[in-house]
Amino acid sequence: MKSALLHLSVPFVLCVALANTSLFDEVAVDLSYDHYAEQRVDDLPGFLAMPCNCLVNLAYICVGLYWLLWHRDATETERSRYMREVFALMAVFYAPVQWTRLAVLRRPPAVLDQWFTLPIFAWVPVWISYIERRPANWRASHAAALELVSILSYSLALAHERGFEGALGCHVALALYKGVRVQREHGDGRTRGYLLLALLSCAGFVVLKLLDHWLARYRLFQRLTGHFWSKVCDVLQFHFSFCFLTALTQRAEAKTAAQQE
């Protein structure tokens, strides 16, 4: 866990430092409560200004800690444990960034909220590459290179108003392609179910966020808004991605062990 924490903390701190400079002053981010359909509660402190959208961030921490402390598989190798721990820590680190964005409505946390989404999605292809190549052929340098490219891809937000959306779309498409491919090569019925649930959660995350204000016309979505439910879908996307990737890792490592006997 120390390695995962160190390797995640260094780029995290660097990105936080850069986000607090003037580098991203031209990036298009929303800095108003009008962006969200949930009504602000003036009697509550800033960190609970929109109670539902704020408190849902606790779910990221819960799912991250669950998978971080997961010890069900005694045969888990050091490298596969590293894959799981990095992904779990990403969920834990991401929650306070989103929460801070809602609490203060300032540019740096809004930029970080967008920026950190990219390497989180990029970790899925990194983990899948480990499954496909097996421990003997997998190189940490390949993972570091992909994550670096992912972090640098946020520069598209500087080049175009919709640059972030373009970068995110590419990340989602790559994760989807790699997920379907590894399922065909190494999956079974159980992992197919996990993949479908992860994809449905991803779709819910995108669609419900886009329809936040439109859905607020209906009573059902006036307190627990589309944005809130999109975050619930995002947490489920994390969880089912973990289920999918850990199950495939177990199968791949079991095949490798059987071949070596």
Side-chain angles (χ1 to χ4, degrees), residues 83-152:
M83 294 289 166
R84 173 176 56 81
E85 289 173 348
V86 168
F87 203 35
L89 286 169
M90 284 178 167
V92 174
F93 278 41
Y94 189 46
V97 171
Q98 294 188 98
W99 203 329
T100 303
R101 177 181 187 175
L102 294 176
V104 302
L105 289 179
R106 291 181 60 243
R107 178 170 293 276
V111 166
L112 292 170
D113 184 13
Q114 290 185 344
W115 200 354
F116 289 153
T117 305
L118 303 178
I120 291 173
F121 269 102
W123 196 252
V124 173
V126 167
W127 195 341
I128 290 174
S129 294
Y130 171 78
I131 296 170
E132 291 177 328
R133 296 182 179 183
R134 312 290 175 85
N137 297 321
W138 185 81
R139 295 292 180 269
S141 58
H142 297 159
L146 181 56
E147 285 294 302
L148 179 60
V149 170
S150 174
I151 291 172
L152 292 177

Side-chain angles (χ1 to χ4, degrees), residues 11-34:
F12 180 87
V13 171
L14 180 60
C15 289
V16 170
L18 289 173
N20 281 278
T21 68
S22 61
L23 179 62
F24 298 104
D25 283 354
E26 302 303 318
V27 170
V29 290
D30 294 294
L31 302 175
S32 168
Y33 284 118
D34 293 337

Side-chain angles (χ1 to χ4, degrees), residues 153-164:
S153 70
Y154 190 63
S155 61
L156 291 175
L158 295 170
H160 192 275
E161 183 179 0
R162 295 298 178 186
F164 165 69

Side-chain angles (χ1 to χ4, degrees), residues 39-57:
Q39 295 298 309
R40 174 175 177 157
V41 181
D42 294 328
D43 294 335
L44 292 176
F47 67 91
L48 288 175
M50 290 190 296
C52 298
N53 277 314
C54 289
L55 291 173
V56 73
N57 289 292

Side-chain angles (χ1 to χ4, degrees), residues 4 9 40 66 78 88 96 100 124 158-159 161 165 176 180 187 191 194 196 213 229 250:
S9 297
R40 174 175 177 157
Y66 171 80
E78 182 178 350
T100 303
V124 173
L158 295 170
E161 183 179 0
E165 287 81 357
L176 173 60
V180 171
T191 58
Y194 289 146
L196 289 174
H213 283 281
W229 289 114
Q250 291 170 3

